[in-house]
Structures are given as C-alpha cells and as structure tokens.
Amino acid sequence: EVFFYEREMASARPVVSVFSSTDDKTVATLPVPDVLLAPIRQDIVHRVHTNIAKNKRQPYGVNMKAGMQHSAISWGTGRAVSRIPRVQGGGTHRSGQGAFGNMCRGGRMFAPNKTWRKWTAKTNNNERRVAVCSALAASAVPALLMARGHRISGLNEVPLIISNEIESITKTREALALLATHKASEDIEHVKDSKKIRTGTGKMRNRRYVQRKGPLVIYANNNGVEQSFRNIPGVEVACVDRLNLLKLAPGGHMGRFIIWSQAAFEKLDSVFGSLTSKSDQKKNFTLPRNAMANSDVSRIINSDEVQSKVRAAKQGFAKPSQKRNPLKNLGAMLKLNPYVGQVKRAEAAAQKAAEANKKRLAPKKPAGAKKAGSLKGKAQKKFRETLRATPTTPCAAFLETYNNIEEINTAAG
C-alpha cells in the first residue's frame, strides 16, 4: 500500500496537524518550521555521522610485550638459514625456532595496535548543525521514511505531532496505547520481528543481538516521557535542545520516523532559527536554504514568462564540418595554397616526360634474340614432354632433345 501519493509532504503545505494523545483527532494546527524546509544534503550527513561515530570508540590493542618475551638472537650468516632471531638454549623443540617476527609462530603481530592511537575525529560545529538540519528535513518526507524501512502506512500525517500530554506519560503501557492509537505500533512490531543474533565475534562481546530502529520521540520537557518510552524495543527519546545526528540518521541514513511533542515542534524555530530570524541558542548560525525555490529548471525555461523574453531560435543553422588535414586532403590544401595545384601538374608532366625519355634511351634487343627465344621455349616444352613419358620411353629420344637444347643455348649466347 503506497499512501503518500494521496498525502502532501511537509515541505509542500504551510501547516501541520497536532493530534490528541488519547485519540487520533486533530486538536490544533502549527506552521511548518523553516528547518524542515532545509536542503537535504546526504553527503554532509554521511560525512558528519562517520566522524561523530568515531568519538565513542573504546581503545583496544595487544599487550606491548606480546611475542617479545623470548631469549632469542640471530645465528647470523653462513649457516644456510634465515637471519631471523632464534630461541637460544637446547633440550627442547623450541630452541632454534624463529621468534619475534610477525611471520614466526609465537611472534608479535605486525605493527601492534597501540591504545594511544587517534581514535576520535573533529568536525566543524557549523557542519554538524547543517547535518542535523538535513536529517530533520528528511524526517518530514514520507518517501524517505519508507525507503529507510519504517512502517508508516497507517499514519494520518508525517511528521506526526502529539499534544503536550505525551510529555506527562509515566507508564510504558500508556506509551504503547498512544502508539497503537496513532497506528505507529506497526513499526514497533517490525522492530520486534527483526531481532536476530549478530553475525561475527560481536555475539561473544556483550552485543549478541541486533534489531532495526523504531520511532524517535522528541520532547521539550521531560515529565516522565523518557522513562515511559525508553523500554519499548526500537524506540529512542531525545530532547529538542540536544538533538543528536546519531539518532536522527542512524547509520548515516536519513529518514528517521520522528514523533514530536507539540512543545518540541513549536521550539524548532527558536533552536535553529528561521529564514527571517536567527537562532536563540546557536551562535553565528544561519539556517541553510535552497539555492533555487523551484528546482524544475526545464519547467522554468519552457514557461510562457521566460519564452516570451528569449530570442527566437535560428533557422537553417549549418552543422560545422569536420576539420580536414591539408597534408592528406588536396581540397583543403588548395584552400590554403592554390599554387599547390600548379606544382602538382608540373610534377606529373615531369614524371611523364621522364618515363618517355627512359623508354627512348633503353637498349634495343637484337633481331634474332626474339626468334631464338621462341625456339628455346619450344625445345623446353618438348623436353618437359619427355620427362612426363612412361618408363618405357627410349633414352635416345631424351638425348636427342637434350642436345637440341644445348645447341639452341649456344646459338643464343
């Protein structure tokens, strides 16, 4: 079921509805904060998330003495063995075996991990804020929520805003009832069904199970909402004054399903500022805005307003011809140098005259040479006929033919 074809996205309507905490009826409407209209920058969100996620890493490394606690020394050269250090002593298989090297059994690893490695990464403060704005804007687009995997087909509206009574819920059963009332429990069931044992070694390191992410509940005043929602699988809570990109875009993927309290939604303009006013909390921060109000460039160009001002298209425009090499193309060379035609005609006439002169000066053959040549050819033909004769052919005929050929050769020479 695809529902967002019939519903408008937050960026396309001026107000959003506020629903009651006890039923799905609308109790108020609120204007859309400008932060939800900010440009969606996936590249910035991914880069900032990658850097921020590094700051929770726990240092790890091997024992600084591991693989080095041997009494070993190289045997040097001249023994037809490698120069790796070898365990000293005798009386055991271990003596004489290689030690210390990363290629040796019982040796140290290559480039042992050190706990003083640089585990954290710095990120510009303004870049963090832009990433949070992009993640919030993406949370108001139903298509991005569904692309991220959230089950929101039964929701009345995205973003989902609940009246301030949600901040006073203190029991988990009341929180579950609220989620069921607004058709958000489908996403919770999806989280429960996704719980699986982690693949790899992590299952033995106190992180045995993995599961999907559910809704994020954002509040302004914690009057029990944090304690009531925190034990529901997949649900996380956050204060609007301290929004964390790791929760708004888990894994660096935008489109988190967010449930807002009315007070938190009204406070967004104060926290992030608007297009006409600055933020009350973030110093020297200007809310990012789109470079174009309408990104449909083709529609703008083809509009009547633009087309009425542009110059009419040229008619009969000739396609530019391909450039030709004058050294290979005579026509191109004649355009550059018309004298080339006269030079080539002179060269052709000189060539023709040279061939005629050569033919005129060539030595003439004697008159009898042609006749002698014809006689020689006949004798050779007759000789070949004798070679094709049968074994019973008389030898006298062969000798006679051979003698005739010799006489002809002597006369011709």
Side-chain angles (χ1 to χ4, degrees):
E1 180 184 358
V2 181
F3 79 98
F4 54 85
Y5 290 145
E6 301 176 358
R7 305 178 194 273
E8 295 178 315
M9 293 185 292
S11 60
R13 61 184 190 270
V15 295
V16 291
S17 303
V18 179
F19 296 94
S20 172
S21 60
T22 56
D23 52 38
D24 58 352
K25 294 182 180 180
T26 303
V27 296
T29 57
L30 294 175
V32 176
D34 290 337
V35 67
L36 297 185
L37 309 178
I40 298 176
R41 295 291 303 275
Q42 170 65 29
D43 53 338
I44 296 179
V45 172
H46 185 270
R47 180 168 63 251
V48 173
H49 182 280
T50 301
N51 288 343
I52 293 179
K54 293 178 181 178
N55 297 333
K56 287 185 64 177
R57 291 193 293 178
Q58 179 175 334
Y60 62 87
V62 296
N63 192 322
M64 63 180 299
K65 297 182 180 179
M68 301 296 292
Q69 301 182 83
H70 300 287
S71 175
I73 192 172
S74 175
W75 287 359
T77 60
R79 296 198 180 192
V81 293
S82 63
R83 289 176 284 185
I84 193 75
R86 298 177 183 274
V87 177
Q88 294 177 313
T92 175
H93 291 295
R94 183 59 175 145
S95 59
Q97 292 183 353
F100 296 161
N102 63 311
M103 74 294 292
C104 299
R105 176 179 175 270
R108 53 157 177 79
M109 66 177 287
F110 168 75
N113 297 319
K114 304 297 183 182
T115 56
W116 55 83
R117 176 193 292 186
K118 182 178 177 292
W119 300 100
T120 60
K122 292 183 179 180
T123 309
N124 295 337
N125 198 22
N126 197 59
E127 195 173 10
R128 294 180 182 218
R129 292 169 175 173
V130 171
V132 171
C133 293
S134 294
L136 289 176
S139 69
V141 182
L144 295 181
L145 269 65
M146 298 186 73
R148 201 186 177 282
H150 290 292
R151 302 297 192 265
I152 59 171
S153 59
L155 295 184
N156 291 325
E157 195 171 290
V158 172
L160 181 61
I161 306 170
I162 311 298
S163 59
N164 288 331
E165 285 78 6
I166 188 176
E167 296 181 348
S168 302
I169 295 177
T170 57
K171 296 294 184 180
T172 302
R173 64 172 177 268
E174 298 175 4
L176 289 172
L178 184 145
L179 294 175
T181 300
H182 296 282
K183 307 297 188 298
S185 56
E186 183 182 0
D187 201 33
I188 305 299
E189 295 301 324
H190 169 64
V191 172
K192 291 181 180 179
D193 296 339
S194 68
K195 187 175 181 180
K196 293 179 176 59
I197 296 179
R198 180 188 299 270
T199 59
T201 313
K203 67 168 67 75
M204 296 178 286
R205 295 178 179 172
N206 294 328
R207 46 181 187 268
R208 188 169 184 81
Y209 297 99
V210 292
Q211 64 182 10
R212 305 288 83 79
K213 293 288 186 180
L216 173 64
V217 180
I218 298 181
Y219 61 88
N221 303 299
N222 182 18
N223 297 325
V225 60
E226 187 172 349
Q227 290 76 9
S228 60
F229 278 92
R230 65 186 179 184
N231 199 34
I232 303 175
V235 177
E236 294 177 328
V237 292
C239 180
V240 69
D241 296 318
R242 301 181 299 275
L243 293 178
N244 187 353
L245 185 66
L246 299 179
K247 291 184 177 180
L248 293 174
H253 306 298
M254 299 184 298
R256 182 76 184 266
F257 174 29
I258 299 178
I259 300 176
W260 299 86
S261 71
Q262 182 178 353
F265 198 78
E266 292 173 342
K267 202 173 182 181
L268 283 176
D269 278 340
S270 174
V271 175
F272 293 96
S274 65
L275 299 179
T276 57
S277 61
K278 291 188 176 181
S279 169
D280 297 336
Q281 299 183 12
K282 304 182 186 301
K283 186 178 180 181
N284 297 329
F285 175 68
T286 302
L287 192 67
R289 62 188 69 196
N290 292 297
M292 299 180 63
N294 183 4
S295 59
D296 194 350
V297 180
S298 61
R299 182 180 177 185
I300 295 175
I301 294 175
N302 295 322
S303 63
D304 295 337
E305 293 80 5
V306 175
Q307 290 297 321
S308 62
K309 301 297 181 183
V310 298
R311 175 180 51 80
K314 291 183 178 180
Q315 300 295 331
F317 177 71
K319 183 179 179 181
S321 60
Q322 183 181 4
K323 183 178 179 181
R324 292 174 172 80
N325 187 359
L327 300 177
K328 297 181 179 180
N329 190 292
L330 180 60
M333 177 60 79
L334 289 174
K335 290 182 180 180
L336 298 176
N337 184 9
Y339 183 69
V340 172
Q342 184 177 350
V343 172
K344 287 189 173 295
R345 285 192 295 271
E347 290 177 353
Q351 178 69 16
K352 188 175 181 180
E355 292 177 355
N357 190 30
K358 181 179 179 181
K359 186 176 181 181
R360 181 175 58 82
L361 297 177
K364 296 182 179 179
K365 295 182 179 180
K370 185 175 181 180
K371 184 176 181 181
S374 63
L375 294 176
K376 182 178 179 181
K378 293 179 180 179
Q380 288 177 347
K381 182 177 181 181
K382 189 174 182 180
F383 176 70
R384 286 192 295 269
E385 291 177 354
T386 60
L387 295 179
R388 290 195 297 270
T390 61
T392 59
T393 302
C395 294
F398 172 79
L399 293 175
E400 182 183 357
T401 304
Y402 181 80
N403 293 332
N404 291 338
I405 292 174
E406 289 295 329
E407 291 175 0
I408 293 173
N409 290 337
T410 303

